[in-house]
RNA sequence: GUGAUUGUAGCUCAGUUGGUUAGAGCGCUGGUUUGUGGCACCAGAGGUCGCCGGUUCGAGCCCGGUCUUUCACCCCA
């Protein structure tokens, strides 16, 4: 017999997990809709030509490729084997699983550019696949919850993103978190200011590790990447400075980036984002302007975000930024957009670690009807139907069994109420309603039970 | 992709320098209780020791490979 197993880095979600995941997903969806985003779904698989080259060389290796159907060796010749995997790939696979939701979205926008009215706001909640090596909080199949606005460069979008993040985390009961904001132009400005213009890519990769390995090691890495001692020297005060609030950070950055047009622009943009945030009635609580935030993604050009839950050893649970040329590779240039994404799987892990589930768990059904035999069960069917008609989720034990067994089932499943139907109850029409949590049991008319449970369901 | 690490009952884990029929707790099934779950007591079921191969008279234990888990790097949600 074959032992069943799952592919590496994938998981099943049982009933309890699904309840919790759906709670998170519904919260996110609600929020997206509340801000005027519309749903979009795209296929799990895309043409490989759509996917390759969009995530860098590393990304291409992490793509799951789909072997062509039928005789996949049809187009190959023996010499192809000698050419190596890279050359062979295009002949045996033309499709791949999506790696993120942004590229399929860009593809969709380009294909439907004439039908869409811009600015176009869409959200998309679907699994993505990466042939990564799994770790905690890192899977080969995981969900992304993206919301993007394309076709406008208004910084209001950035401010609304902050508001959406705050709403979601509040609804989920996560309070100790930080939304870090920076602007790619500020990073460009920093590179220019320290005399390393054009090396911002390297700067980002190194600076991103700051809270992980510390300034000293980052300095070493910068040196290895060809930064001069004086550049590193110049960078040092900015990195080491601890700002007490956004106002102070803005002041310092303005001074620091005085000589850089890009840098000054970046600061101005962020100021406007903060202005909009105030106008929306949002506080700066949980929001941190962090000039050292440097998300590696190559396509961000403006604001960048990252959300971390404090005191939990898991990476970012949300992130995003503005890109000026999302659709350019598909032949539609100059479409500015800004988007962000929640990592449900990580949010789940965080909430579990913080013990936030439990209060949010919903019972599988409100009430179960236990009975003593076929006649009693038939009587119970009438009751169960009435309950369902009133919108109360209810089930009746499907077979005749010892009452103890029926109670046991309800208890294990976590059903809060049990109604017992016996010959006495059938005669009088007065049923016993027992709360499994308290153990209290009361006799009352069906109508009364219906009212109590119908009230309780809200 | 590089370097480590893990795997014994459904779950969490014991298992002596390699030596008979591999154990515990929890869970599960049944009973004590044919109109009541949780608690208690009693009984019972359940294991190709991840998989394949090797060394050995003999392997859960040693060796190789493979899969899986976790971790660091790379990168990322």
């Amino acid at each position: 017999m074959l032992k069943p197993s799952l592919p590496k880095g994938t998981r099943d979600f049982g009933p309890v997990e699904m309840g919790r995941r759906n709670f998170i997903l519904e919260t996110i969806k609600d929020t997206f809709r509340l801000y005027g985003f519309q749903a979009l779904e795209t296929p799990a698989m895309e043409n490989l030509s759509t996917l390759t080259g969009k995530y860098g060389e590393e990304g291409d290796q992490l793509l799951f490729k789909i072997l062509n159907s039928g005789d996949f060796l049809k187009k190959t010749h023996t010499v192809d084997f000698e050419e190596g995997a890279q050359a062979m790939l295009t002949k045996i696979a033309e499709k791949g699983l999506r790696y993120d939701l942004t590229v399929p979205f860009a593809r969709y926008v380009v294909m439907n550019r004439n039908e869409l009215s811009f600015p176009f706001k869409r959200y998309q909640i679907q699994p993505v696949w990466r042939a990564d090596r799994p770790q905690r909080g890192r899977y080969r199949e995981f969900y992304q919850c993206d919301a993007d606005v394309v076709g406008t460069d208004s910084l209001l979008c950035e401010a609304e993103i902050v508001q959406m993040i705050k709403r979601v985390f509040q609804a989920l009961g996560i309070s100790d978190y930080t939304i870090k904001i920076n602007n790619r132009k500020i990073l460009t400005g920093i590179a220019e200011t320290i005399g390393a213009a054009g090396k911002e890519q390297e700067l980002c990769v190194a600076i991103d590790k700051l809270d992980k390995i510390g300034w000293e090691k980052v300095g070493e890495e910068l040196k290895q990447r060809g930064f001069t001692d004086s550049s590193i020297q110049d960078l040092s005060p900015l990195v080491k400075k601890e700002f007490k609030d956004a106002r102070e950070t803005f002041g310092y950055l303005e001074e620091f980036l005085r000589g850089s047009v890009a840098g000054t622009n970046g600061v101005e943009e962020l100021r406007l984002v903060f202005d909009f945030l105030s106008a929306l009635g949002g506080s700066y609580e949980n929001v941190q302007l962090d000039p050292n935030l440097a998300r590696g993604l190559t396509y961000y050009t403006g604001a960048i975000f990252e959300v971390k839950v404090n005191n939990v050893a898991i990476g970012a649970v949300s992130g995003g930024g503005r890109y000026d040329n999302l659709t350019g590779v598909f032949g539609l240039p100059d479409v500015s957009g800004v988007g962000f994404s929640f990592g449900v799987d990580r949010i789940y892990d965080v909430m579990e670690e913080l013990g936030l589930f439990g209060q949010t768990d919903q019972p599988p059904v409100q009430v179960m009807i236990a009975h003593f035999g076929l006649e009693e069960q038939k009587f119970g069917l009438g009751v169960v139907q009435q309950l369902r008609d009133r919108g109360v989720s209810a089930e009746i034990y499907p077979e005749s069994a010892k009452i103890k067994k029926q109670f046991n089932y309800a208890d294990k499943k976590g059903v809060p109420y049990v109604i017992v139907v016996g010959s006495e109850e059938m005669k009088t029409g007065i049923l016993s309603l027992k709360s499994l949590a308290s153990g209290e049991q009361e006799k009352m008319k069906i109508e009364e039970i219906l009212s109590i449970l119908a009230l309780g369901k809200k």
Side-chain angles (χ1 to χ4, degrees):
Chain A
M1 245 243 294
L2 198 71
K3 226 182 215 173
S5 65
L6 284 172
K8 189 205 288 249
T10 66
R11 336 43 121 232
D12 290 322
F13 302 114
V16 174
E17 288 158 295
M18 278 312 293
R20 296 172 174 182
R21 284 177 67 85
N22 282 336
F23 172 67
I24 298 171
L25 290 172
E26 289 304 320
T27 303
I28 292 170
K29 261 187 232 174
D30 267 6
T31 306
F32 287 161
R33 292 195 193 115
L34 194 65
Y35 280 78
F37 289 77
Q38 292 176 288
L40 174 73
E41 287 203 2
T42 64
M45 61 180 110
E46 292 276 351
N47 289 324
L48 223 36
S49 56
T50 304
L51 300 172
T52 46
K54 308 299 186 300
Y55 310 105
E57 232 172 276
E58 303 252 1
D60 283 355
Q61 289 188 330
L62 297 180
L63 285 174
F64 276 105
K65 290 99 182 172
I66 297 173
L67 212 49
N68 291 340
S69 313
D71 178 11
F72 54 84
L73 291 177
K74 199 163 44 188
K75 294 178 185 167
T76 65
H77 305 282
T78 46
V79 292
D80 293 327
F81 285 90
E82 286 153 26
E83 302 262 317
Q86 200 59 28
M88 184 63 105
L89 182 63
T90 53
K91 303 193 174 175
I92 59 173
E94 25 191 62
K95 297 177 291 298
L97 294 178
R98 75 167 98 78
Y99 177 91
D100 70 0
L101 301 178
T102 311
V103 165
F105 173 53
R107 192 220 77 225
Y108 173 84
V109 169
V110 172
M111 286 178 68
N112 296 276
R113 61 182 119 176
N114 296 322
E115 282 72 46
L116 296 173
S117 62
F118 295 94
F120 177 58
K121 300 165 82 172
R122 73 88 229 226
Y123 73 86
Q124 187 169 355
I125 299 179
Q126 287 187 279
V128 302
W129 295 268
R130 296 182 187 181
D132 216 347
R133 194 171 285 209
Q135 287 179 31
R136 182 158 113 97
R138 189 175 198 178
Y139 308 96
R140 291 186 138 184
E141 178 185 64
F142 62 96
Y143 274 70
Q144 285 191 335
C145 310
D146 276 29
D148 288 78
V149 189
V150 291
T152 172
D153 53 13
S154 167
L155 295 165
L156 172 61
C157 305
E158 275 85 338
E160 287 197 327
I161 285 174
V162 172
Q163 290 291 79
M164 285 190 276
I165 293 171
K166 286 162 103 173
R167 184 182 189 270
V168 165
F169 280 69
Q170 187 183 353
L172 295 179
I174 301 172
S175 53
D176 191 11
Y177 65 94
T178 306
I179 305 172
K180 291 187 177 185
I181 305 181
N182 195 13
N183 193 302
R184 197 57 186 263
K185 290 166 188 162
I186 289 177
L187 292 163
T188 305
I190 292 172
E192 286 173 7
T193 303
I194 64 171
K199 300 181 78 170
E200 58 191 283
Q201 194 68 36
E202 291 92 329
L203 181 69
C204 286
V205 173
I207 220 172
D208 194 40
K209 299 176 185 167
L210 207 51
D211 42 338
K212 207 172 187 180
I213 61 177
W215 166 236
E216 209 156 300
K217 294 225 166 134
V218 170
E220 283 170 28
E221 186 162 338
L222 283 171
K223 198 162 183 181
Q224 272 182 12
R225 290 177 185 267
F227 285 73
T228 64
D229 284 335
S230 82
S231 289
I232 298 170
Q233 198 81 48
D234 290 346
L235 181 62
S236 170
L238 174 71
V239 169
K240 284 183 180 163
K241 183 143 180 72
E242 293 197 12
F243 300 101
K244 72 172 190 288
D245 58 22
R247 177 188 295 267
E248 195 189 21
T249 319
F250 275 126
Y252 187 92
L253 282 176
E254 237 153 46
E255 194 58 37
F256 190 90
L257 298 170
R258 186 186 290 280
S260 161
V261 177
T264 305
N265 272 341
V267 175
E268 251 164 51
E269 283 185 13
L270 280 188
R271 266 197 197 280
L272 202 50
V273 172
F274 274 68
D275 281 352
F276 277 129
L277 194 55
S278 302
L280 283 167
S283 71
Y284 296 165
E285 209 184 330
N286 299 317
V287 182
Q288 187 197 347
L289 171 57
D290 181 2
N292 298 318
L293 170 63
R295 289 172 56 80
L297 277 179
T298 46
Y299 52 76
Y300 289 138
T301 52
I304 44 185
F305 309 92
E306 186 166 288
V307 184
K308 278 192 173 152
V309 177
N310 301 322
N311 305 313
V312 180
I314 226 164
V317 293
S318 176
R322 176 170 289 278
Y323 36 82
D324 278 342
N325 198 12
L326 175 73
T327 53
V329 283
F330 297 120
L332 184 62
D334 303 324
V335 174
S336 183
V338 59
F340 74 116
S341 180
F342 288 105
V344 225
D345 303 272
R346 285 189 175 177
I347 291 175
Y348 185 102
D349 289 348
V350 163
M351 288 181 69
E352 184 147 68
E353 191 164 329
L354 294 177
L356 294 176
F357 294 121
Q359 304 102 324
T360 60
D361 285 356
Q362 297 294 311
V365 278
Q366 271 300 108
V367 57
M368 188 199 82
I369 297 180
H371 54 86
F372 287 91
L374 192 56
E375 284 311 307
E376 291 88 344
Q377 187 186 40
K378 281 182 185 162
F379 182 88
L381 288 177
V383 180
V384 90
Q385 191 56 49
Q386 287 183 71
L387 284 162
R388 289 169 179 163
D389 286 345
R390 297 279 284 260
V392 177
S393 62
E395 68 179 322
I396 185 160
Y397 200 81
E399 43 192 85
S400 296
K402 284 182 187 165
I403 209 74
K404 175 183 173 126
K405 193 173 177 188
Q406 300 184 43
F407 265 91
N408 232 318
Y409 167 84
D411 188 39
K412 294 249 171 59
K413 188 165 171 176
V415 183
Y417 291 100
V418 171
I419 293 171
V420 182
V421 179
S423 51
E424 190 65 22
E425 284 82 355
M426 284 173 69
K427 223 179 292 170
T428 59
I430 294 175
L431 307 182
S432 304
L433 177 69
K434 180 166 185 173
S435 158
L436 290 194
S438 68
E440 281 168 35
Q441 181 165 332
E442 264 189 276
K443 293 196 167 191
M444 57 185 94
K445 287 184 178 166
I446 293 176
E447 213 21 72
E448 235 177 307
I449 291 179
L450 289 175
S451 308
I452 287 175
L453 292 177
L455 272 178
K457 87 184 159 75
K458 63 179 175 190

